[in-house]
Amino acid sequence: MQIETVGIFCGSSTGSNNIYREETIKLADYLAQNGKSLVYGGGTAGLMGVLAGRMLEKGCRVTGVIPEMIQTKVGHLPLTETIVTPDMHSRKRKMYDISDCFIALPGGIGTIEEISEAFTWQQLGYHSKAVSLYNINNFFKYFDSFLEAAEMAGFIKNVHRSRLIIESEPARLLEKLESYDGTTIDKWS
Ligand code: AMP
């Protein structure tokens, strides 16, 4: 699938190791070199701000989708476009609709919730877009172990789990996102 707009979920903190910031900038630069646009959570805090700031600097189109309540509380970058939604649910729906694929960078519970929902919707066939983890510093090791445990215990099918793309190198990540075949594998069969 040709990807123009990448939806990225990431921490509202930068993490305790500078590697998270550095590798976020590396991904931002690679996406910019390849002419991609960004859709993200709209704030300036943490890796979100690092990512959006860098992509704006590189001349990319950056759209922030932010709920009214958060918008009044956080700092703002001069984005290409800011979409304000009434609540968190409509924010996520909007982000899912206008992105061609999804990437999670390291983050906290907000990031895990958002990427898990995108992955759940893929599994259920609500969308056929690629879902991925940018595995900086092997951050997602324990999340992947959880998915493995859930598969071993019979709660996730391998055909669904194996659709989650996990990569730590921007070029390989984008290549896998662009070659994702988009077929829905029926959860109920
Ligand atoms: P967390 O991973 O818990 O830091 O939460 C990050 C995710 O929650 C982001 O992907 C955003 O969608 C949302 N979020 C949390 N804090 C903010 C904020 N200050 N501004 C915009 N979105 C936020």
Side-chain angles (χ1 to χ4, degrees):
M1 175 184 177
Q2 182 55 39
I3 287 166
E4 285 172 19
T5 304
V6 180
I8 300 190
F9 307 115
C10 56
S12 53
S13 311
T14 49
S16 53
N17 185 326
N18 207 34
I19 193 171
Y20 297 113
R21 183 190 288 272
E22 287 163 5
E23 296 294 310
T24 297
I25 289 173
K26 205 192 267 184
L27 179 67
D29 287 356
Y30 191 76
L31 293 174
Q33 271 163 33
N34 285 275
K36 307 303 176 195
S37 299
L38 171 69
V39 168
Y40 86 113
T44 49
L47 293 184
M48 279 191 289
V50 172
L51 175 75
R54 186 69 172 196
M55 288 188 73
L56 283 168
E57 249 174 66
K58 298 280 169 182
C60 300
R61 187 179 166 79
V62 175
T63 303
V65 187
I66 192 159
E68 225 165 67
M69 191 189 86
I70 298 183
Q71 202 213 11
T72 57
K73 294 186 183 159
V74 300
H76 302 283
L77 289 167
L79 305 180
T80 320
E81 185 184 12
T82 299
I83 300 172
V84 181
T85 62
D87 52 43
M88 204 50 147
H89 286 104
S90 40
R91 176 229 222 150
K92 289 190 290 179
R93 173 89 240 184
K94 186 74 189 168
M95 289 179 78
Y96 299 156
D97 286 347
I98 64 176
S99 303
D100 297 325
C101 67
F102 307 101
I103 305 175
L105 271 55
I109 200 70
T111 303
I112 293 298
E113 187 263 341
E114 288 162 340
I115 200 71
S116 297
E117 186 171 74
F119 191 33
T120 307
W121 288 20
Q122 180 195 74
Q123 181 181 274
L124 292 170
Y126 282 106
H127 68 75
S128 54
K129 300 172 183 180
V131 178
S132 70
L133 309 175
Y134 181 48
N135 197 18
I136 301 173
N137 201 27
N138 209 11
F139 176 81
F140 288 106
K141 176 171 75 173
Y142 298 108
F143 185 67
D144 191 36
S145 297
F146 161 72
L147 295 177
E148 185 182 8
E151 183 191 331
M152 292 308 142
F155 289 105
I156 300 178
K157 289 180 183 158
N158 182 266
V159 285
H160 291 127
R161 181 179 157 223
S162 61
R163 308 221 104 197
L164 182 67
I165 297 164
I166 307 178
E167 269 303 337
S168 56
E169 207 276 311
R172 277 204 303 272
L173 176 60
L174 191 58
E175 192 191 314
K176 287 191 177 177
L177 289 168
E178 295 202 308
S179 58
Y180 179 77
D181 78 6
T183 317
T184 297
I185 299 162
D186 190 1
K187 181 170 165 55
W188 314 113
S189 62

